[in-house]
Amino acid sequence: MKKLSDAADLTTGSPAKVIAMYTFPMLGSMFFQQAYNLADSWIAGNFVGADALAAVGTCYPVTVFYIAIASGLSMGTSIFCSQNFGAHKYQDVACGMTTALFSFIPFSIVLTCISYLFYPYMLSWLSVPAEAYEPTSIYLRIYIAGLPFLFLYNICNGIISGLGNSRTPLLFLIFSSIFNLTLDFFLVILLDFGIVGISMTTLLAQAASAIAACIVTYRFLKRMHREQTEVRWYSKSALREILSLGIPSVCQHVFMSAGQLFLQSIINSYGMVVMAGYSVAFRINGIVINSLMAISNALSGYMAQNMGAKKFRRMHQGYGICLLISCIFSAAVIAALMFGDAALLSVFLEDSPDKAKIIEAGQGFLRIVAPFYLLVSLKIVSDGALRGMGAMTLFMLATLSDVVVRILFGRFFSDQWGISGVWMIWPAAWLVGTAISFGAYLVKCRKFKRK
């Protein structure tokens, strides 16, 4: 088959150069994706009020739950496409693309309907304070309405990335971020639509990215079908394989979201000031973790293609390169946060009597969590390697251990050490998860060390 001009073969060339060219656009995509999330927090805190900021932060674990499902299924699709692309099984790649879309988009519509029935129970479980209940409810309802776009974007993005193209998703998100900020300016700042405006900008920006990603995916599919003698649009065996690769990733994100939702209910019991401070600080933490996840996802695609091509030594080289990139990034972030966390937190807050207390609450979280970013780098990179190699059971075990620590010890740490104890759950969970994930990678490596 003629090589696709927008696809990239990750099985040839210098591993360092290939990974850099593949990873840095993913980091850029993460940056712009987080940019319009942070824009919501900044605009909520400066132009709407503390109740809106608390609403966005409180909904964050719920929205992460939905993102978890979408990105997990996307990861399964991406790994399936990567492995078959690396093995030059282009007909299977094309069939996997359409099978994923025909299966997961209808699922997202059903999920949207179910979520509308149960969202009041979500708010109740989160223990949302009375003063933040109405804006939180509005934000969540509008976000739920955009779930089909969320799934469409993630599945298409997984397909595109699985074919070695990480630049095109970056262009989508640059456009989406600019679009989001423009809408925020008009709907929230000029027209004073408040939390409704913030919610609608997120939905519309997601829709724009989804449509653009769908168009590019269709072009890939059309070119693949043009050179095939037999076209298969749907395959149960392909779906089973995608699910076998994707469900552990879904479980990873869902388990993490469940652990986060549990901790959120504890955090909410400390009141509005702590909620607002944590909301801002957790967004900053989210940028760091998602940056590391971008490197991890790039490693998964790289490992999957080379796994399909049976280039095992090249896989190990890629792991070392991604780990080095992650550690350098984490060290720089730790240094920046240790000296500039107050200034960074204050950017997202309007002047108010509680501003100093909110900043103090956010600092408390960051100063306990940030020093452990080097540790979590090792975990997240090892997770990416396990996904790319198809070692999904080991990968899911490492993730589950992280969540078990959060759920079993969250209330105990809170009772013993107050809110600082809640913050200490993050490094405690990372320590256990890292030991299992890195150990699992070493075990898996033994299988390939002589190949």
Side-chain angles (χ1 to χ4, degrees), residues 6 65 103 311 409 422:
D6 294 329
F65 175 82
S103 300
K311 295 187 176 182
F409 295 98
V422 180

Side-chain angles (χ1 to χ4, degrees), residues 56-121:
V56 173
T58 299
C59 285
Y60 187 68
V62 181
T63 62
V64 167
F65 175 82
Y66 292 119
I67 294 171
I69 300 174
S71 61
L73 295 175
S74 169
M75 180 57 65
T77 306
S78 181
I79 293 172
F80 177 88
C81 291
S82 289
Q83 289 181 345
N84 284 285
F85 187 76
H88 305 295
K89 298 177 180 178
Y90 302 117
Q91 186 178 42
D92 290 338
V93 175
C95 182
M97 292 164 64
T98 51
T99 297
L101 289 169
F102 292 158
S103 300
F104 301 143
I105 302 308
F107 168 76
S108 71
I109 296 172
V110 173
L111 181 62
T112 300
C113 296
I114 294 174
S115 298
Y116 263 109
L117 293 176
F118 287 96
Y119 85 87
Y121 300 99

